[in-house]
Each structure stands twice: as C-alpha cells, then as structure tokens.
Amino acid sequence: MNEHATMEKVVNLCKRRGFIFPSSEIYGGIGSTWDYGPVGVELKRNVKEAWWKAVVTGRNDTVGLDASILMHPRVWEASGHVAGFSDPLVECKKCNRRYREDFLAEPGQCPDCDGKVTEARQFNLMFKTFMGPVEDTASTVFLRPETAQGIFVNFTNVLDTARQKIPFGIAQIGKSFRNEITPGNFIFRTREFEQMEIEYFVKPGEDEEAFQSWQDARLGWYVDNGIRAENLRLRPHDSDELAHYAKACVDVEYEFPFGWSELEGIANRSDFDLKQHMEYSGKDMTYFDEATRSRYVPYVIEPSAGVDRPLLAFLVDAYDEEEVEGDRRIVLRLDPRLAPFKAGVYPLLRKDGQPERAQEIRDILKEHFPVVYDQAGSIGRRYRRQDEVGTPFGVTVDHETMKDQTVTLRDRDAMTQVRIPVDRLVDEIRRRIDPRTRDR
Ligand code: GAP
C-alpha cells in the first residue's frame, strides 16, 4: 500500500488542482457523481488511450467498436440482466435508510442508527427511462449496465466486415450506468461510470489458454503504466460469487487506502451470451470454421475494466510526499505517458522578453504534446503546482536563454536540472517520455 496516500488527501488534491469536482456542486452536489476538470480530463483521455493502444492498435487480433448506450430492451432479457442483475437490498426498520446487505458491517444491523434491518429483497440495478414521447411499458428502455452487450449484438456485423478469424477480439470504451444501492469511495463506486471492455472470441476448448494469457496481459498493463507490482494482485472468484454468465472469473485488484478492491474482472463467459442472443433474436450467430468446415458458437474471454477505478489507482499509487529544503512537497509520480501535461513552461522573470520567449517555446512544444504555461508567483511555487498534477518536465526561460537559446529542463522526480538548447527540447522530452529510452 502507498503509505503517503489517504483518500482524503487524494480527494482534496483532485479538487484543488482540477482533476475531479463533485457534480452539480453549486446545488449541493448529487450523490456520488463526479465531473472531470481540465486536468482530470487529460488524465482520463491518457488512461483510455494507453488501454486502446495496448488492446486495439497495438495488436493484430482485435478491432474497436462504439455501440450506443440505449439498446433494444430484449437485449437485457437475453443477457439475463432483467431477471438477475440485482443486489440484496435491506431497509432499516427504524430510520428507513437502505443498504446493500453484503456491505453491512454487522449482519442484520443498521450502520447508522443500530436499528434492525428488514429481510433482503433483490433490487435490480438497471436505470430505466422512456424512449420517444410516450411514457409506457412499451417504450421503456434501460441505460446499459455494461458495454459488453453492444459487442455481442454486433458480433456478426463485425465478423462480416472486419475480416477477422477466430481467435479475435472486439474492444470498446463507453459509459455504463448502475443504480448502485451503496455507492462510495469517491470515483470507485458510482452510478455513472466508464468501462473499457474486450470480448475475445475463441474456439471452445481454447478458452482456458486465452483466459490465462489475458490475465497476464492485463496485470502487465497496470505495471507497465506505472503501478507498483506489490500493490496489485489477481484474485480468482469463488464459485458462489461468479456472475450469472461466468464459467470462471479473476479480478485484478489494487490495494487502495480502503483495502484490496477490484479494478477489472477477467471472465470466461463461455458461449452464454451469443447463445442467448441467438435464442432471443432468432438470428444465427455461429462461426464458420474454414479449417474444419464446421460451425460453432465461440466462447468468450472478457477482460472488463472500469476507467475511473484504474484512474483512481494511478492517482493513489503516484501520490507522494517528501521533505525538500524544510518544505513538504506533494508530487504525483505519474508515468509521463499518463501525465495530463508533459511539460510546464515558465519565464524566470516577468520582464526582459522572457515571457514572450517562453510563450513561443510553449507554442513549439504544443505542436507535439500538451503543455502548460505559468508565470504567476515564484519559480519554486510554479514547480510545486505542476509537481502536484504530475507534470514530468519543467522548461524555464531565463536571462541565459535570451543570449544563447538554451533553457533549463527540470525533472519532476529527481528535481535535477540540465541546460539544453531550445531546438533539442522536443526530442529530449519525447525521449524521456518513451519508456524504452528513459534513463530512470
Ligand atoms: N461486462 C462485465 C462487467 O461489467 P463488472 O465486474 O461488473 O463486469 C467491470 O464491471 C468493471 O467495471 C469493474 O471491474 C469496475 O472497474 C467497473 N465498474 C463496475 N461497476 C462500477 C461502479 N459502480 N462504479 C465504477 N466502476 C464500476
């Protein structure tokens, strides 16, 4: 566990520096919904981009998809979500507050007033709404509780157009909604969140091997993007916690300040979903295997991650505090590829043409990666501000720059500074961002 990071410190930093704000804050907020600010949105885009690169553009056996949130209601009957996507809900007989039964610290007892709670009843987590101008049962639709079904219903469309042969995967990123009974822990459990999901279709009998190799690949992705391996683990599900569709499931867990918790589930969904959609839609979704000249319903391995939970893990793992010359420095040691901005550009003084030159350099760098310009306050304070948002490099323009066209390049982690010609800056920063050429 990261001993420096408490949830309170991370939440405060997120608010203070523009990562994440409570939603509708001027109206007092709306329970457990959050907005990503100017810094957070960059980090979120980078997390999604790192995932997309690893599982779509960086592979030859996966393609992307962007399915809609609203789907035909029969989808959710076929998938089993109408009948079975529920959590056990109990209500306190004294204060009437409602809880998820399996989240109670003391079984049968209200955590707020010590009253007795009712027997549990199953509460379906899907949000309902109406499609079109008539509000009746016929027009009821659901906000998708997982992006996965958009992939399954498009299986034959993709197969017919993408010219992929099994084994292959379809990946997508998008919003999902669950009317969680007990949301909490900041962006860890919310009612609106984003998912990054892959459905990897394999020949039955080859599922176990693919299941294993996706576990290795997905665990490796978190480490490759900067999370310390000792704060991650794979946890196989017991048979009584398996989802209705799963033959087996392993969670990637991270040790948050509130304990080991799931970032991603990797499930062997067998042929459950495609078979269900074949039955409910009456459409053939079998795969024709040219080698054996026979048809089969593929099995599916599903690495299913959130966006928000991994993002929280990246923040928590990167959070650090240290003493520097009698001062406390807070620094986010984010992998430079994930960092919202790659460099801060600063004039040492607000005179002698330094701000203008610094702005010119900012514009040169901006062509290549996101950078910020800051001329307010002492140079030390400006460095600290960017340390707190994880900006890996600082470029300072001073009186020397005006004479010899060199700047100082500061490293966020080591706080070392080197002098470098302006015309080498882009290449040098790029080299330091690239993990293959980094000197650390
Ligand atoms: N398609 C399979 C599926 O949705 P899941 O384990 O229910 O599986 C996958 O969800 C991932 O989605 C989780 O590991 C988590 O990262 C994210 N997730 C699920 N519910 C969430 C919630 N209420 N808030 C934030 N993220 C959530």
Side-chain angles (χ1 to χ4, degrees):
M1 190 160 69
N2 180 355
E3 77 274 16
H4 293 293
T6 62
M7 283 311 289
E8 195 187 352
K9 285 179 183 172
V10 172
V11 173
N12 285 342
L13 174 74
C14 283
K15 176 83 201 293
R16 187 169 74 242
R17 291 291 174 219
F19 280 98
I20 299 167
F21 308 125
S23 164
S24 325
E25 198 181 7
I26 58 167
Y27 290 98
I30 167 167
S32 83
T33 42
W34 304 91
D35 297 340
Y36 285 81
V39 181
V41 74
E42 297 292 339
L43 175 60
K44 200 181 196 195
R45 285 165 56 101
N46 294 342
V47 169
K48 291 192 275 189
E49 182 55 32
W51 182 86
W52 195 262
K53 219 166 162 180
V55 309
V56 183
T57 49
R59 296 177 66 110
N60 299 315
D61 59 350
T62 5
V63 292
L65 183 78
D66 186 5
S68 59
I69 288 171
L70 300 176
M71 301 179 75
H72 195 291
R74 292 275 286 165
V75 167
W76 306 110
E77 287 171 32
S79 69
H81 284 80
V82 170
F85 192 59
S86 50
D87 279 335
L89 172 80
V90 292
E91 185 171 334
C92 174
K93 293 179 185 166
K94 206 157 116 194
C95 71
N96 296 111
R97 287 200 180 91
R98 292 175 171 193
Y99 306 94
R100 206 172 124 171
E101 187 191 34
D102 51 337
F103 282 9
L104 291 179
E106 282 291 321
Q109 206 162 317
C110 173
D112 280 298
C113 75
D114 277 354
K116 290 264 167 278
V117 301
T118 58
E119 287 290 302
R121 69 177 169 88
Q122 288 302 316
F123 174 77
N124 194 294
L125 301 183
M126 282 198 295
F127 277 96
K128 271 186 203 161
T129 187
F130 301 102
M131 191 139 177
V134 185
E135 295 193 6
D136 63 11
T137 17
S139 65
T140 301
V141 290
F142 300 98
L143 302 187
R144 67 180 177 197
E146 60 171 16
T147 70
Q149 296 305 324
I151 298 180
F152 293 126
V153 300
N154 276 297
F155 174 67
T156 41
N157 282 337
V158 174
L159 199 59
D160 292 347
T161 52
R163 311 206 62 75
Q164 288 285 343
K165 283 196 169 47
I166 278 179
F168 79 97
I170 306 176
Q172 76 170 332
I173 300 176
K175 286 259 168 136
S176 291
F177 301 82
R178 295 182 190 178
N179 199 4
E180 297 280 357
I181 299 167
T182 317
N185 284 326
F186 193 32
I187 55 170
F188 181 81
R189 190 183 308 283
T190 52
R191 295 187 171 116
E192 172 181 347
F193 52 95
E194 260 186 292
Q195 288 187 306
M196 310 187 282
E197 299 199 283
I198 307 156
E199 305 304 327
Y200 193 76
F201 299 93
V202 297
K203 190 173 179 178
E206 294 175 5
D207 49 313
E208 304 279 340
E209 198 185 325
F211 184 46
Q212 186 56 50
S213 89
W214 274 108
Q215 289 172 44
D216 300 340
R218 294 304 306 141
L219 187 67
W221 181 80
Y222 291 95
V223 177
D224 180 51
N225 283 284
I227 296 194
R228 281 162 282 189
E230 67 265 27
N231 294 333
L232 289 162
R233 70 179 185 194
L234 289 172
R235 188 186 67 80
H237 278 208
D238 293 332
S239 54
D240 61 353
E241 53 173 333
L242 285 176
H244 60 272
Y245 49 72
K247 176 178 158 189
C249 187
V250 169
D251 284 347
V252 180
E253 292 191 336
Y254 177 74
E255 193 175 18
F256 284 102
F258 47 84
W260 285 99
S261 308
E262 173 190 341
L263 298 178
E264 168 163 356
I266 302 158
N268 183 341
R269 286 181 86 126
S270 72
D271 53 7
F272 175 83
D273 300 271
L274 289 181
K275 275 197 169 149
Q276 288 290 106
H277 287 305
M278 279 174 56
E279 187 188 330
Y280 278 71
S281 70
K283 299 284 186 310
D284 180 20
M285 298 180 93
T286 54
Y287 175 78
F288 181 68
D289 188 337
E290 276 168 18
T292 59
R293 312 226 34 98
S294 61
R295 293 196 160 269
Y296 61 82
V297 181
Y299 265 42
V300 175
I301 305 304
E302 178 195 64
S304 169
V307 175
D308 314 82
R309 283 188 194 178
L311 184 145
L312 183 59
F314 286 122
L315 281 174
V316 167
D317 216 68
Y319 185 97
D320 198 10
E321 287 177 5
E322 61 184 7
E323 283 291 305
V324 178
E325 293 159 8
D327 258 0
R328 190 177 57 118
R329 175 170 97 118
I330 296 174
V331 53
L332 277 190
R333 300 190 192 277
L334 286 170
D335 184 287
R337 289 165 299 168
L338 295 186
F341 307 110
K342 307 310 172 199
V345 183
Y346 322 102
L348 185 63
L349 302 174
R350 284 165 74 170
K351 58 179 188 180
D352 303 336
Q354 291 181 23
E356 291 76 14
R357 186 64 186 127
Q359 284 165 25
E360 281 166 14
I361 292 170
R362 171 201 58 192
D363 293 342
I364 294 169
L365 298 183
K366 261 193 133 157
E367 300 262 318
H368 304 273
F369 24 70
V371 294
V372 276
Y373 173 81
D374 189 359
Q375 60 174 33
S378 75
I379 191 71
R381 287 180 68 128
R382 284 181 269 165
Y383 287 154
R384 292 288 184 278
R385 273 202 286 270
Q386 289 308 313
D387 288 345
E388 287 199 6
V389 299
T391 307
F393 308 110
V395 174
T396 306
V397 167
D398 55 18
H399 63 284
E400 293 279 314
T401 315
M402 308 313 285
K403 286 190 274 177
D404 64 5
Q405 293 307 316
T406 63
V407 288
T408 61
L409 182 62
R410 173 186 182 267
D411 181 280
R412 173 198 70 197
D413 294 333
M415 289 187 290
T416 48
Q417 298 193 22
V418 290
R419 238 185 141 93
I420 163 169
V422 173
D423 59 12
R424 274 191 40 219
L425 257 184
V426 169
D427 283 348
E428 181 57 21
I429 293 175
R430 211 182 250 144
R431 188 187 71 75
R432 290 180 183 214
I433 291 171
D434 187 337
R436 291 164 304 183
T437 55
R438 236 176 260 165
D439 7 64
R440 273 162 283 135

